[in-house]
PDB file of all heavy atoms in Angstrom:
ATOM      1  N   PHE J1218      -7.539  -0.025  -3.892  1.00  0.00           N
ATOM      2  CA  PHE J1218      -6.909   0.305  -5.182  1.00  0.00           C
ATOM      3  C   PHE J1218      -7.458   1.638  -5.720  1.00  0.00           C
ATOM      4  O   PHE J1218      -7.286   1.933  -6.871  1.00  0.00           O
ATOM      5  CB  PHE J1218      -7.135  -0.829  -6.194  1.00  0.00           C
ATOM      6  CG  PHE J1218      -8.560  -1.354  -6.183  1.00  0.00           C
ATOM      7  CD1 PHE J1218      -9.505  -0.846  -7.055  1.00  0.00           C
ATOM      8  CD2 PHE J1218      -8.964  -2.353  -5.301  1.00  0.00           C
ATOM      9  CE1 PHE J1218     -10.825  -1.321  -7.028  1.00  0.00           C
ATOM     10  CE2 PHE J1218     -10.242  -2.822  -5.256  1.00  0.00           C
ATOM     11  CZ  PHE J1218     -11.182  -2.320  -6.139  1.00  0.00           C
ATOM     12  N   ARG J1221      -4.764   4.251  -6.940  1.00  0.00           N
ATOM     13  CA  ARG J1221      -4.207   3.815  -8.214  1.00  0.00           C
ATOM     14  C   ARG J1221      -5.128   4.169  -9.356  1.00  0.00           C
ATOM     15  O   ARG J1221      -4.737   4.750 -10.373  1.00  0.00           O
ATOM     16  CB  ARG J1221      -3.982   2.299  -8.181  1.00  0.00           C
ATOM     17  CG  ARG J1221      -3.188   1.783  -9.350  1.00  0.00           C
ATOM     18  CD  ARG J1221      -3.550   0.343  -9.719  1.00  0.00           C
ATOM     19  NE  ARG J1221      -4.697   0.328 -10.604  1.00  0.00           N
ATOM     20  CZ  ARG J1221      -5.743  -0.428 -10.475  1.00  0.00           C
ATOM     21  NH1 ARG J1221      -5.849  -1.268  -9.472  1.00  0.00           N
ATOM     22  NH2 ARG J1221      -6.753  -0.361 -11.314  1.00  0.00           N
ATOM     23  N   TYR J1248       7.080  15.046  -1.316  1.00  0.00           N
ATOM     24  CA  TYR J1248       7.537  13.751  -1.838  1.00  0.00           C
ATOM     25  C   TYR J1248       6.281  12.864  -1.991  1.00  0.00           C
ATOM     26  O   TYR J1248       5.536  12.672  -1.059  1.00  0.00           O
ATOM     27  CB  TYR J1248       8.467  13.036  -0.861  1.00  0.00           C
ATOM     28  CG  TYR J1248       9.755  13.810  -0.624  1.00  0.00           C
ATOM     29  CD1 TYR J1248       9.955  14.500   0.561  1.00  0.00           C
ATOM     30  CD2 TYR J1248      10.784  13.795  -1.555  1.00  0.00           C
ATOM     31  CE1 TYR J1248      11.124  15.224   0.812  1.00  0.00           C
ATOM     32  CE2 TYR J1248      11.965  14.494  -1.323  1.00  0.00           C
ATOM     33  CZ  TYR J1248      12.120  15.184  -0.139  1.00  0.00           C
ATOM     34  OH  TYR J1248      13.287  15.902   0.059  1.00  0.00           O
ATOM     35  N   ARG J1252       4.104   3.154  -3.795  1.00  0.00           N
ATOM     36  CA  ARG J1252       4.584   1.781  -3.565  1.00  0.00           C
ATOM     37  C   ARG J1252       5.353   1.291  -4.822  1.00  0.00           C
ATOM     38  O   ARG J1252       4.999   1.632  -5.949  1.00  0.00           O
ATOM     39  CB  ARG J1252       3.469   0.834  -3.205  1.00  0.00           C
ATOM     40  CG  ARG J1252       2.424   0.641  -4.265  1.00  0.00           C
ATOM     41  CD  ARG J1252       1.331  -0.348  -3.846  1.00  0.00           C
ATOM     42  NE  ARG J1252       1.876  -1.671  -3.604  1.00  0.00           N
ATOM     43  CZ  ARG J1252       1.161  -2.764  -3.392  1.00  0.00           C
ATOM     44  NH1 ARG J1252      -0.138  -2.678  -3.316  1.00  0.00           N
ATOM     45  NH2 ARG J1252       1.718  -3.926  -3.152  1.00  0.00           N
ATOM     46  N   GLY J1253       6.363   0.468  -4.606  1.00  0.00           N
ATOM     47  CA  GLY J1253       7.235   0.034  -5.685  1.00  0.00           C
ATOM     48  C   GLY J1253       6.512  -0.698  -6.777  1.00  0.00           C
ATOM     49  O   GLY J1253       6.900  -0.648  -7.951  1.00  0.00           O
ATOM     50  N   HIS J1291       8.931   9.443  -5.016  1.00  0.00           N
ATOM     51  CA  HIS J1291       9.842   8.555  -4.297  1.00  0.00           C
ATOM     52  C   HIS J1291       9.246   7.180  -4.288  1.00  0.00           C
ATOM     53  O   HIS J1291       8.173   7.008  -3.685  1.00  0.00           O
ATOM     54  CB  HIS J1291      10.107   9.082  -2.882  1.00  0.00           C
ATOM     55  CG  HIS J1291      11.163   8.306  -2.133  1.00  0.00           C
ATOM     56  ND1 HIS J1291      12.473   8.726  -2.099  1.00  0.00           N
ATOM     57  CD2 HIS J1291      11.100   7.197  -1.414  1.00  0.00           C
ATOM     58  CE1 HIS J1291      13.156   7.879  -1.376  1.00  0.00           C
ATOM     59  NE2 HIS J1291      12.347   6.905  -0.928  1.00  0.00           N
ATOM     60  N   GLY J1293       8.690   3.359  -3.219  1.00  0.00           N
ATOM     61  CA  GLY J1293       8.946   2.371  -2.178  1.00  0.00           C
ATOM     62  C   GLY J1293       9.476   1.095  -2.854  1.00  0.00           C
ATOM     63  O   GLY J1293       9.710   1.073  -4.049  1.00  0.00           O
ATOM     64  N   ALA J1294       9.623   0.040  -2.033  1.00  0.00           N
ATOM     65  CA  ALA J1294      10.259  -1.165  -2.604  1.00  0.00           C
ATOM     66  C   ALA J1294       9.625  -2.448  -2.073  1.00  0.00           C
ATOM     67  O   ALA J1294      10.314  -3.444  -1.876  1.00  0.00           O
ATOM     68  CB  ALA J1294      11.768  -1.139  -2.386  1.00  0.00           C
ATOM     69  N   LYS J1312      16.177   4.350   4.996  1.00  0.00           N
ATOM     70  CA  LYS J1312      16.378   3.359   6.087  1.00  0.00           C
ATOM     71  C   LYS J1312      15.324   2.252   5.978  1.00  0.00           C
ATOM     72  O   LYS J1312      14.395   2.351   5.134  1.00  0.00           O
ATOM     73  CB  LYS J1312      16.246   4.020   7.409  1.00  0.00           C
ATOM     74  CG  LYS J1312      17.225   5.168   7.592  1.00  0.00           C
ATOM     75  CD  LYS J1312      16.886   6.003   8.810  1.00  0.00           C
ATOM     76  CE  LYS J1312      17.796   7.228   8.852  1.00  0.00           C
ATOM     77  NZ  LYS J1312      17.302   8.236   9.797  1.00  0.00           N
ATOM     78  N   ARG J1313      15.437   1.217   6.804  1.00  0.00           N
ATOM     79  CA  ARG J1313      14.360   0.202   6.789  1.00  0.00           C
ATOM     80  C   ARG J1313      13.068   0.864   7.346  1.00  0.00           C
ATOM     81  O   ARG J1313      13.164   1.686   8.224  1.00  0.00           O
ATOM     82  CB  ARG J1313      14.758  -1.057   7.523  1.00  0.00           C
ATOM     83  CG  ARG J1313      15.117  -0.930   8.961  1.00  0.00           C
ATOM     84  CD  ARG J1313      15.202  -2.305   9.653  1.00  0.00           C
ATOM     85  NE  ARG J1313      15.998  -3.248   8.926  1.00  0.00           N
ATOM     86  CZ  ARG J1313      15.876  -4.580   8.989  1.00  0.00           C
ATOM     87  NH1 ARG J1313      14.954  -5.096   9.788  1.00  0.00           N
ATOM     88  NH2 ARG J1313      16.623  -5.386   8.296  1.00  0.00           N
ATOM     89  N   GLY J1314      11.940   0.411   6.840  1.00  0.00           N
ATOM     90  CA  GLY J1314      10.697   1.098   7.155  1.00  0.00           C
ATOM     91  C   GLY J1314      10.121   0.754   8.506  1.00  0.00           C
ATOM     92  O   GLY J1314       8.975   0.300   8.598  1.00  0.00           O
ATOM     93  N   ASN J1459      -5.849 -16.175   5.663  1.00  0.00           N
ATOM     94  CA  ASN J1459      -5.204 -15.306   4.624  1.00  0.00           C
ATOM     95  C   ASN J1459      -4.833 -13.953   5.239  1.00  0.00           C
ATOM     96  O   ASN J1459      -3.729 -13.456   5.063  1.00  0.00           O
ATOM     97  CB  ASN J1459      -6.153 -15.147   3.452  1.00  0.00           C
ATOM     98  CG  ASN J1459      -5.529 -14.375   2.322  1.00  0.00           C
ATOM     99  OD1 ASN J1459      -5.082 -13.240   2.473  1.00  0.00           O
ATOM    100  ND2 ASN J1459      -5.480 -14.962   1.143  1.00  0.00           N
ATOM    101  N   TYR J1466       3.316 -11.795   7.744  1.00  0.00           N
ATOM    102  CA  TYR J1466       4.318 -11.592   6.733  1.00  0.00           C
ATOM    103  C   TYR J1466       4.787 -10.164   6.693  1.00  0.00           C
ATOM    104  O   TYR J1466       5.957  -9.869   6.517  1.00  0.00           O
ATOM    105  CB  TYR J1466       3.746 -11.995   5.368  1.00  0.00           C
ATOM    106  CG  TYR J1466       4.758 -11.990   4.281  1.00  0.00           C
ATOM    107  CD1 TYR J1466       5.710 -13.021   4.175  1.00  0.00           C
ATOM    108  CD2 TYR J1466       4.767 -11.006   3.282  1.00  0.00           C
ATOM    109  CE1 TYR J1466       6.660 -13.004   3.152  1.00  0.00           C
ATOM    110  CE2 TYR J1466       5.705 -10.984   2.295  1.00  0.00           C
ATOM    111  CZ  TYR J1466       6.651 -11.981   2.235  1.00  0.00           C
ATOM    112  OH  TYR J1466       7.578 -11.967   1.231  1.00  0.00           O
TER     113      TYR J1466
ATOM    114  N   MET D 857       8.407  -9.548   6.865  1.00  0.00           N
ATOM    115  CA  MET D 857       9.606  -8.866   6.268  1.00  0.00           C
ATOM    116  C   MET D 857      10.797  -9.738   6.382  1.00  0.00           C
ATOM    117  O   MET D 857      10.845 -10.635   7.200  1.00  0.00           O
ATOM    118  CB  MET D 857       9.862  -7.562   7.009  1.00  0.00           C
ATOM    119  CG  MET D 857       8.862  -6.473   6.873  1.00  0.00           C
ATOM    120  SD  MET D 857       8.296  -5.804   5.365  1.00  0.00           S
ATOM    121  CE  MET D 857       8.374  -6.922   4.086  1.00  0.00           C
ATOM    122  N   ARG D 892      17.490  16.163  -4.490  1.00  0.00           N
ATOM    123  CA  ARG D 892      16.130  16.095  -4.034  1.00  0.00           C
ATOM    124  C   ARG D 892      15.999  16.018  -2.515  1.00  0.00           C
ATOM    125  O   ARG D 892      14.943  16.290  -1.942  1.00  0.00           O
ATOM    126  CB  ARG D 892      15.428  14.842  -4.614  1.00  0.00           C
ATOM    127  CG  ARG D 892      15.282  14.880  -6.085  1.00  0.00           C
ATOM    128  CD  ARG D 892      14.500  13.679  -6.543  1.00  0.00           C
ATOM    129  NE  ARG D 892      14.238  13.782  -7.965  1.00  0.00           N
ATOM    130  CZ  ARG D 892      13.474  12.973  -8.626  1.00  0.00           C
ATOM    131  NH1 ARG D 892      12.851  11.968  -7.995  1.00  0.00           N
ATOM    132  NH2 ARG D 892      13.267  13.142  -9.948  1.00  0.00           N
ATOM    133  N   TYR D 893      17.057  15.538  -1.846  1.00  0.00           N
ATOM    134  CA  TYR D 893      16.945  15.258  -0.406  1.00  0.00           C
ATOM    135  C   TYR D 893      18.057  15.984   0.340  1.00  0.00           C
ATOM    136  O   TYR D 893      19.135  16.239  -0.194  1.00  0.00           O
ATOM    137  CB  TYR D 893      17.138  13.756  -0.159  1.00  0.00           C
ATOM    138  CG  TYR D 893      16.272  12.859  -1.045  1.00  0.00           C
ATOM    139  CD1 TYR D 893      16.830  12.239  -2.169  1.00  0.00           C
ATOM    140  CD2 TYR D 893      14.907  12.640  -0.754  1.00  0.00           C
ATOM    141  CE1 TYR D 893      16.026  11.417  -2.991  1.00  0.00           C
ATOM    142  CE2 TYR D 893      14.179  11.827  -1.543  1.00  0.00           C
ATOM    143  CZ  TYR D 893      14.716  11.236  -2.679  1.00  0.00           C
ATOM    144  OH  TYR D 893      13.962  10.403  -3.483  1.00  0.00           O
ATOM    145  N   HIS D 905      16.936   0.734  -6.677  1.00  0.00           N
ATOM    146  CA  HIS D 905      16.054   0.460  -7.815  1.00  0.00           C
ATOM    147  C   HIS D 905      16.840   0.399  -9.128  1.00  0.00           C
ATOM    148  O   HIS D 905      16.593  -0.462  -9.951  1.00  0.00           O
ATOM    149  CB  HIS D 905      14.979   1.547  -7.916  1.00  0.00           C
ATOM    150  CG  HIS D 905      13.778   1.289  -7.001  1.00  0.00           C
ATOM    151  ND1 HIS D 905      13.036   0.126  -7.091  1.00  0.00           N
ATOM    152  CD2 HIS D 905      13.190   2.076  -6.067  1.00  0.00           C
ATOM    153  CE1 HIS D 905      12.066   0.170  -6.212  1.00  0.00           C
ATOM    154  NE2 HIS D 905      12.118   1.335  -5.548  1.00  0.00           N
ATOM    155  N   ASP D 935      21.124  -3.079   6.284  1.00  0.00           N
ATOM    156  CA  ASP D 935      19.951  -3.014   7.160  1.00  0.00           C
ATOM    157  C   ASP D 935      18.723  -2.578   6.317  1.00  0.00           C
ATOM    158  O   ASP D 935      17.622  -3.157   6.410  1.00  0.00           O
ATOM    159  CB  ASP D 935      20.198  -1.981   8.271  1.00  0.00           C
ATOM    160  CG  ASP D 935      19.128  -1.939   9.312  1.00  0.00           C
ATOM    161  OD1 ASP D 935      18.822  -3.010   9.845  1.00  0.00           O
ATOM    162  OD2 ASP D 935      18.600  -0.864   9.573  1.00  0.00           O
ATOM    163  N   TYR D 940      13.506  -4.702   2.243  1.00  0.00           N
ATOM    164  CA  TYR D 940      12.520  -4.516   1.180  1.00  0.00           C
ATOM    165  C   TYR D 940      12.444  -5.715   0.247  1.00  0.00           C
ATOM    166  O   TYR D 940      13.442  -6.229  -0.206  1.00  0.00           O
ATOM    167  CB  TYR D 940      12.848  -3.255   0.383  1.00  0.00           C
ATOM    168  CG  TYR D 940      12.750  -2.021   1.230  1.00  0.00           C
ATOM    169  CD1 TYR D 940      13.896  -1.446   1.805  1.00  0.00           C
ATOM    170  CD2 TYR D 940      11.514  -1.463   1.556  1.00  0.00           C
ATOM    171  CE1 TYR D 940      13.802  -0.325   2.615  1.00  0.00           C
ATOM    172  CE2 TYR D 940      11.426  -0.351   2.379  1.00  0.00           C
ATOM    173  CZ  TYR D 940      12.583   0.194   2.883  1.00  0.00           C
ATOM    174  OH  TYR D 940      12.480   1.298   3.727  1.00  0.00           O
ATOM    175  N   GLU D 941      11.196  -6.107   0.016  1.00  0.00           N
ATOM    176  CA  GLU D 941      10.993  -7.321  -0.777  1.00  0.00           C
ATOM    177  C   GLU D 941      11.477  -7.188  -2.201  1.00  0.00           C
ATOM    178  O   GLU D 941      11.923  -8.173  -2.805  1.00  0.00           O
ATOM    179  CB  GLU D 941       9.478  -7.568  -0.765  1.00  0.00           C
ATOM    180  CG  GLU D 941       9.119  -8.925  -1.210  1.00  0.00           C
ATOM    181  CD  GLU D 941       7.680  -9.227  -0.833  1.00  0.00           C
ATOM    182  OE1 GLU D 941       7.365  -9.106   0.357  1.00  0.00           O
ATOM    183  OE2 GLU D 941       6.895  -9.536  -1.751  1.00  0.00           O
ATOM    184  N   GLU D 942      11.409  -6.003  -2.773  1.00  0.00           N
ATOM    185  CA  GLU D 942      11.761  -5.882  -4.166  1.00  0.00           C
ATOM    186  C   GLU D 942      13.268  -5.938  -4.370  1.00  0.00           C
ATOM    187  O   GLU D 942      13.745  -6.095  -5.485  1.00  0.00           O
ATOM    188  CB  GLU D 942      11.264  -4.553  -4.755  1.00  0.00           C
ATOM    189  CG  GLU D 942       9.826  -4.639  -5.168  1.00  0.00           C
ATOM    190  CD  GLU D 942       9.346  -3.320  -5.775  1.00  0.00           C
ATOM    191  OE1 GLU D 942      10.053  -2.766  -6.630  1.00  0.00           O
ATOM    192  OE2 GLU D 942       8.292  -2.853  -5.373  1.00  0.00           O
ATOM    193  N   ARG D 957      -1.474 -13.132  -3.672  1.00  0.00           N
ATOM    194  CA  ARG D 957      -2.138 -14.207  -2.888  1.00  0.00           C
ATOM    195  C   ARG D 957      -3.053 -13.620  -1.840  1.00  0.00           C
ATOM    196  O   ARG D 957      -3.525 -14.366  -0.947  1.00  0.00           O
ATOM    197  CB  ARG D 957      -1.092 -15.085  -2.249  1.00  0.00           C
ATOM    198  CG  ARG D 957      -0.248 -14.377  -1.256  1.00  0.00           C
ATOM    199  CD  ARG D 957       0.713 -15.303  -0.544  1.00  0.00           C
ATOM    200  NE  ARG D 957       1.486 -14.561   0.432  1.00  0.00           N
ATOM    201  CZ  ARG D 957       2.512 -15.059   1.105  1.00  0.00           C
ATOM    202  NH1 ARG D 957       2.848 -16.314   0.925  1.00  0.00           N
ATOM    203  NH2 ARG D 957       3.162 -14.343   1.994  1.00  0.00           N
ATOM    204  N   GLU D 962      -7.355 -14.531  -3.441  1.00  0.00           N
ATOM    205  CA  GLU D 962      -7.689 -15.879  -2.993  1.00  0.00           C
ATOM    206  C   GLU D 962      -9.168 -16.184  -3.287  1.00  0.00           C
ATOM    207  O   GLU D 962      -9.501 -17.272  -3.689  1.00  0.00           O
ATOM    208  CB  GLU D 962      -7.353 -16.070  -1.496  1.00  0.00           C
ATOM    209  CG  GLU D 962      -7.720 -17.475  -1.024  1.00  0.00           C
ATOM    210  CD  GLU D 962      -7.142 -17.921   0.318  1.00  0.00           C
ATOM    211  OE1 GLU D 962      -6.175 -17.324   0.779  1.00  0.00           O
ATOM    212  OE2 GLU D 962      -7.710 -18.863   0.876  1.00  0.00           O
ATOM    213  N   CYS D 997      -1.158  -8.279  -1.660  1.00  0.00           N
ATOM    214  CA  CYS D 997      -2.015  -7.430  -2.506  1.00  0.00           C
ATOM    215  C   CYS D 997      -1.226  -6.440  -3.388  1.00  0.00           C
ATOM    216  O   CYS D 997      -0.424  -5.661  -2.948  1.00  0.00           O
ATOM    217  CB  CYS D 997      -2.977  -6.646  -1.648  1.00  0.00           C
ATOM    218  SG  CYS D 997      -4.107  -5.613  -2.560  1.00  0.00           S
ATOM    219  N   GLY D 999      -2.703  -4.145  -5.156  1.00  0.00           N
ATOM    220  CA  GLY D 999      -3.476  -2.926  -5.360  1.00  0.00           C
ATOM    221  C   GLY D 999      -4.241  -2.920  -6.668  1.00  0.00           C
ATOM    222  O   GLY D 999      -4.439  -1.909  -7.328  1.00  0.00           O
ATOM    223  N   GLU D1002      -9.633  -5.266  -8.101  1.00  0.00           N
ATOM    224  CA  GLU D1002     -10.786  -5.364  -8.989  1.00  0.00           C
ATOM    225  C   GLU D1002     -10.472  -6.230 -10.180  1.00  0.00           C
ATOM    226  O   GLU D1002     -11.353  -6.681 -10.889  1.00  0.00           O
ATOM    227  CB  GLU D1002     -11.219  -3.954  -9.414  1.00  0.00           C
ATOM    228  CG  GLU D1002     -10.542  -3.345 -10.657  1.00  0.00           C
ATOM    229  CD  GLU D1002      -9.162  -2.724 -10.321  1.00  0.00           C
ATOM    230  OE1 GLU D1002      -8.518  -3.135  -9.352  1.00  0.00           O
ATOM    231  OE2 GLU D1002      -8.730  -1.823 -11.093  1.00  0.00           O
TER     232      GLU D1002
END
Side-chain angles (χ1 to χ4, degrees):
Chain J
F1218 44 94
R1221 190 208 85 229
Y1248 298 104
R1252 64 179 298 189
H1291 186 94
K1312 303 168 186 164
R1313 59 168 50 205
N1459 185 303
Y1466 188 73
Chain D
M857 292 305 28
R892 295 185 174 189
Y893 312 100
H905 275 304
D935 188 53
Y940 298 98
E941 194 165 305
E942 278 182 47
R957 64 175 181 186
E962 178 166 342
C997 182
E1002 86 278 27

